[in-house]
Amino acid sequence: MRAAPTSLFALPLLALALLPNLAAAQDAEAGQRAFAKCRACHQIGEGARNLVGPELNGLIGRHSGAVAGYSYSNANKDSGLTWDEATFAEYIKDPKAKIPGTKMIFAGIKNEKEIADLIAFLKQFDKDGKKL
């Protein structure tokens, strides 16, 4: 019996290696749709400005209450949080539970996949609103 050429085994492995990159792009697209829930109060991207809520450029890695020109609640400013993926995921499920006294009026997003997609979308934007 003859062995199969190595290339026949390499192709599926290559496809598996690329899968996380493809999933990330799909997640960001789904996250853009999830962001529709946020759009009434927040902007993101070049030219984003503060509305009812602060603009969200460069959110991941930013300290809570740090956007210039936005009037945060004392609870938010004093929370000591730095927005990483885990902290934001917990916050967006139930903002008032994570930061009691926040002025953010939002029931939250409970679906884990939707939260992950939203984070993938938000992470695309640097502090100036440029896509990374």
Side-chain angles (χ1 to χ4, degrees), residues 29-46:
E29 283 183 29
Q32 184 173 5
R33 290 188 297 277
F35 185 74
K37 294 178 179 180
C38 312
R39 192 172 290 124
C41 298
H42 298 277
Q43 290 187 350
I44 195 164
E46 292 187 62

Side-chain angles (χ1 to χ4, degrees), residues 6-132:
T6 305
S7 62
L8 288 178
F9 294 107
L11 189 56
L13 291 175
L14 178 61
L16 284 174
L18 294 174
L19 194 57
N21 293 331
L22 294 174
Q26 292 167 346
D27 289 347
E29 283 183 29
Q32 184 173 5
R33 290 188 297 277
F35 185 74
K37 294 178 179 180
C38 312
R39 192 172 290 124
C41 298
H42 298 277
Q43 290 187 350
I44 195 164
E46 292 187 62
R49 56 191 172 84
N50 298 327
L51 299 174
V52 172
E55 54 87 2
L56 298 178
N57 291 329
L59 177 69
I60 303 300
R62 183 169 82 195
H63 294 283
S64 180
V67 172
Y70 184 74
S71 178
Y72 288 95
S73 66
N74 287 335
N76 195 293
K77 288 188 287 190
D78 298 339
S79 70
L81 296 177
T82 297
W83 298 117
D84 60 20
E85 292 182 39
T87 302
F88 179 77
E90 186 180 342
Y91 176 78
I92 203 64
K93 284 180 190 173
D94 188 351
K96 291 190 179 292
K98 181 68 177 169
I99 303 179
T102 185
K103 66 182 186 179
M104 183 162 157
I105 301 170
F106 182 65
I109 298 173
K110 309 304 185 215
N111 182 289
E112 299 285 339
K113 172 82 169 95
E114 187 176 4
I115 292 170
D117 292 346
L118 178 59
I119 291 169
F121 173 71
L122 295 173
K123 284 175 54 178
Q124 296 180 101
F125 297 91
D126 69 11
K127 67 179 182 63
D128 297 318
K130 292 184 172 51
K131 274 197 169 183
L132 301 172

